Amino acid sequence: MTLHTRFTERFGIEHPIVSAPMDVVSTAALATAVSRAGGLGLIGGGYGDKDWLSRELAAAAGTPVGCGFITWSIDASHIDLALSHEPAAIFLSFGDASPYVEQIHRAGVPLICQVHDLAQVEEALQIGADAVCVQGGEAGGHGKGTRSTFTLVPEAADLIADQRPEVLLLAAGGIADGRSVAAALALGADGVVAGTRFWATRQAAVTRAAHARAVAINGDTTRRTGVYDIVRDKDWPPVYTGRVLANDFVVRWHGHETELVENLDTARAEFSHALEADDVDLANMIVGEAVGQVHAIEDAGDVVQSMAAQAENILAGRSPAAR
Amino acid sequence: MTLHTRFTERFGIEHPIVSAPMDVVSTAALATAVSRAGGLGLIGGGYGDKDWLSRELAAAAGTPVGCGFITWSIDASHIDLALSHEPAAIFLSFGDASPYVEQIHRAGVPLICQVHDLAQVEEALQIGADAVCVQGGEAGGHGKGTRSTFTLVPEAADLIADQRPEVLLLAAGGIADGRSVAAALALGADGVVAGTRFWATRQAAVTRAAHARAVAINGDTTRRTGVYDIVRDKDWPPVYTGRVLANDFVVRWHGHETELVENLDTARAEFSHALEADDVDLANMIVGEAVGQVHAIEDAGDVVQSMAAQAENILAGRSPAAR
């Protein structure tokens, strides 16, 4: 057997591996490297900076890549901008995607809805998603954090099989290597979306200090918190927190959010200075538990290919113990 | 290929599937049913009720089963009691197992240490565990809740391969069916430990109302909390919380622990009455996220065999999509 799934067939790609649309981090360089290696690269439209988005979509021209957004932070004009570049997919996370479904489908573009629990899977099926990406709380960045990849994938697979069996299922949260790709497919996914693993590649727009820290730490070092949303003035719906490196800033303020708000000017100045100084003890380093499996900063295309090869070996019974 | 692993070889069992030692729930009836079906059943020694333990160990005589304890709540006499019945394994969770290692090894019994993050894996390797069971926070009952099965298993596999490659690795947290068994092995485990799935069998000492509720709900309905430890006067180290059904009692008191302590007599009376009345809206129903994959209360031996058969199919490439 190979890793050909319903997802690779329907999207015309070689490997069922997607790079997550990480805000600002997922540049044209990253997305095109992933797509050229046989996966599907997504550009990180994030909070909807149109200048950045136009530049990156133009830079990716000629290579099929998709584009992702933080749904609550955009409007129809962001979707139009992305659609004007004929993306391979639109990927919407964190909020009600229903206002954009018709617009996206009229353009003949597949809609992938990222969700965080079973109730959200059901909503995505109801509004007409072509694929549902279920993200466990082990993932880096924002999410509900109430479900894990290991249980949410099979439960979502059963719900989809029951309600809208033509819909594809992607697994996100903890995808680090070929072992996790094989595990996600075994659990019932048609493909995977990896964030942290592609964040830790040469093509990602990540600072030198953050990459160096990622290589040095294990997976016990992250936690979910809202403190960086407070200091960055990002108006996230309260149900969402973000998984980040549990650095000095997080240790100081997490659980003391009232004091953080009382000291916001000082904390903001410190945060801004940390960003400029590339100080990951204070600036936000957005990684998931899979950071513990990052041992080197590699080429994104090589990551796609080694993930796929390892997963193929495991699922073909050629490498059962995976070590 | 089959599901024969280093774990099945070393323990002389047919399937790499263990039933968790759930306090009081994991009776001799449950443990022996699992062992007779080719897995490894563990009796739930829990907080160390010696009368209960003696009775259940005696009832299991003739079938190889192991025994588990909540480490912080026992002393050497509990281990001696278990060892006098020549168990197939001693399984220690939640606390420092080092005082018991020599005692257990002198009896020629394998020690399985259950741990919840990578730092605890390292401790278990240092004290001389024969197997390490890593439990993700999706599991029912107590744990640290800071890591997930999906990322902790491969990271632990790499650490063990590096430091003490002869040590076996078991995966717990979210093990519900053959898909999760296949996924755990793909991630690098030598076997699995399932709690909720065996809790939901005819042999488990679980009330009728709790079983009925489990069949009716999805996996979004649980949460981690310490409120039942307060009302039961269980002196858990603060690092551990328990995943339970997020019922009316949990919704009322979680996040309001100070008020719970102020109203402890009333809450205790209510809790005791709920236990007697088999009222799962108020009494603690200890299940993990995998409860969403429980659709019937089955025979424990049948569960072992269907899990193993499904996992074999997936890992042999005969059932890639698992649906």
Side-chain angles (χ1 to χ4, degrees):
Chain A
M1 76 174 279
T2 67
L3 285 186
H4 290 174
T5 70
R6 304 190 305 164
F7 174 54
T8 59
E9 275 171 36
R10 220 171 296 171
F11 276 69
I13 56 181
E14 197 178 348
H15 308 302
I17 297 169
V18 181
S19 59
M22 297 170 281
D23 175 44
V24 185
V25 167
S26 296
T27 57
L30 176 54
T32 56
V34 169
S35 288
R36 285 193 197 116
L40 174 63
L42 299 181
I43 286 178
Y47 297 97
D49 177 336
K50 287 183 182 170
D51 292 339
W52 183 92
L53 186 59
S54 296
R55 194 173 63 238
E56 297 304 319
L57 284 167
T63 304
V65 300
C67 183
F69 293 102
I70 295 166
T71 315
W72 63 258
S73 76
I74 61 158
D75 59 40
S77 69
H78 296 90
I79 303 286
D80 274 333
L81 172 56
L83 290 175
S84 72
H85 291 264
E86 300 180 356
I90 297 282
F91 186 101
L92 296 180
S93 311
F94 321 115
D96 180 13
S98 63
Y100 310 118
V101 176
E102 201 191 319
Q103 185 183 4
I104 294 166
H105 280 167
R106 214 165 36 220
V109 171
L111 167 62
I112 307 172
C113 287
Q114 180 167 268
V115 300
H116 302 88
D117 60 19
L118 202 71
Q120 291 187 335
V121 174
E122 199 147 13
E123 287 167 22
L125 296 179
Q126 280 163 4
I127 67 167
D130 302 290
V132 176
C133 174
V134 295
Q135 188 192 49
E138 45 272 80
H142 283 85
K144 288 187 74 173
T146 56
R147 295 299 307 268
S148 71
T149 301
F150 207 80
T151 65
L152 187 52
V153 172
E155 204 178 347
D158 291 340
L159 184 67
I160 290 172
D162 184 52
Q163 296 197 354
R164 282 191 60 212
E166 73 282 10
V167 171
L168 299 171
L169 176 61
L170 305 180
I175 307 294
D177 61 13
R179 292 178 294 194
S180 22
V181 176
L185 297 186
L187 288 169
D190 300 295
V192 301
V193 177
T196 300
R197 193 65 197 81
F198 287 111
W199 176 98
T201 61
R202 286 199 286 276
Q203 284 89 347
V206 170
T207 69
R208 187 178 295 266
H211 269 171
R213 181 66 61 91
V215 170
I217 60 183
N218 72 34
D220 289 353
T221 56
T222 73
R223 76 161 300 154
R224 307 199 68 85
T225 183
V227 297
Y228 283 115
D229 295 332
I230 296 172
V231 80
R232 295 184 305 167
D233 201 21
K234 298 290 190 192
D235 197 19
W236 276 88
V239 74
Y240 294 110
T241 55
R243 185 175 288 282
V244 293
L245 174 70
N247 60 11
D248 295 347
F249 191 89
V250 171
V251 169
R252 190 192 313 158
W253 294 117
H254 183 79
H256 305 280
E257 286 76 5
T258 309
E259 293 92 319
L260 174 57
V261 170
E262 286 163 8
N263 293 278
L264 203 49
D265 289 344
T266 316
R268 270 192 188 139
E270 189 179 50
F271 173 70
S272 296
H273 181 262
L275 282 182
E276 280 164 31
D278 194 9
D279 177 359
V280 290
D281 289 321
L282 297 175
N284 56 333
M285 179 166 142
I286 307 174
V287 289
E289 292 183 26
V291 73
Q293 294 169 73
V294 168
H295 306 301
I297 304 305
E298 297 174 272
D299 175 81
D302 290 349
V303 168
V304 172
Q305 282 164 0
S306 67
M307 270 189 175
Q310 190 185 18
E312 277 178 32
N313 275 333
I314 293 168
L315 289 175
R318 290 193 294 270
S319 172
R323 307 182 221 161
Chain B
M1 74 174 282
T2 69
L3 285 187
H4 291 174
T5 69
R6 304 190 306 164
F7 174 54
T8 59
E9 276 171 35
R10 219 172 294 171
F11 276 69
I13 56 180
E14 197 178 347
H15 307 302
I17 297 170
V18 181
S19 59
M22 298 170 279
D23 175 44
V24 185
V25 167
S26 296
T27 57
L30 176 55
T32 56
V34 169
S35 288
R36 286 193 196 116
L40 174 63
L42 300 180
I43 286 177
Y47 297 97
D49 176 338
K50 286 182 183 169
D51 293 338
W52 184 92
L53 187 59
S54 296
R55 194 172 64 237
E56 298 303 320
L57 285 166
T63 304
V65 300
C67 182
F69 292 103
I70 296 166
T71 315
W72 63 259
S73 75
I74 61 158
D75 61 38
S77 69
H78 296 90
I79 303 285
D80 274 334
L81 173 56
L83 290 175
S84 72
H85 290 264
E86 301 181 355
I90 297 281
F91 187 100
L92 296 180
S93 310
F94 320 115
D96 180 13
S98 62
Y100 310 117
V101 176
E102 202 190 320
Q103 185 183 2
I104 294 166
H105 280 168
R106 214 165 39 223
V109 171
L111 169 61
I112 308 174
C113 286
Q114 179 166 268
V115 300
H116 302 88
D117 60 19
L118 201 72
Q120 289 186 337
V121 174
E122 198 147 15
E123 287 167 23
L125 295 179
Q126 279 164 3
I127 68 167
D130 302 291
V132 176
C133 173
V134 295
Q135 189 193 49
E138 44 273 79
H142 283 86
K144 289 187 73 174
T146 55
R147 294 298 306 268
S148 71
T149 301
F150 207 81
T151 65
L152 187 52
V153 173
E155 204 177 348
D158 291 339
L159 185 68
I160 290 172
D162 184 53
Q163 295 196 356
R164 281 192 59 213
E166 74 281 10
V167 172
L168 298 172
L169 175 62
L170 305 180
I175 306 295
D177 61 13
R179 292 177 294 192
S180 23
V181 175
L185 297 186
L187 288 169
D190 300 298
V192 301
V193 178
T196 300
R197 193 64 196 84
F198 287 110
W199 176 98
T201 61
R202 287 198 286 274
Q203 285 89 348
V206 170
T207 68
R208 187 178 293 266
H211 269 170
R213 182 64 61 92
V215 170
I217 59 183
N218 72 35
D220 289 353
T221 56
T222 73
R223 75 161 301 151
R224 307 198 70 85
T225 182
V227 298
Y228 283 114
D229 295 332
I230 295 172
V231 82
R232 295 183 304 167
D233 202 21
K234 298 291 189 192
D235 198 19
W236 277 87
V239 74
Y240 295 110
T241 55
R243 184 177 289 282
V244 293
L245 175 69
N247 61 10
D248 295 348
F249 191 90
V250 171
V251 169
R252 190 190 314 157
W253 294 118
H254 183 80
H256 306 279
E257 286 76 5
T258 308
E259 293 92 319
L260 174 57
V261 171
E262 285 164 8
N263 293 280
L264 203 49
D265 290 343
T266 316
R268 269 192 189 139
E270 188 178 50
F271 173 70
S272 297
H273 182 262
L275 281 182
E276 281 165 31
D278 194 11
D279 176 0
V280 290
D281 289 322
L282 297 174
N284 55 334
M285 179 167 142
I286 308 175
V287 289
E289 291 183 26
V291 73
Q293 292 167 75
V294 169
H295 306 301
I297 305 305
E298 297 174 89
D299 174 81
D302 291 348
V303 168
V304 172
Q305 282 163 0
S306 66
M307 269 188 175
Q310 189 185 20
E312 277 177 33
N313 274 333
I314 293 169
L315 289 174
R318 290 193 293 270
S319 172
R323 306 183 221 160

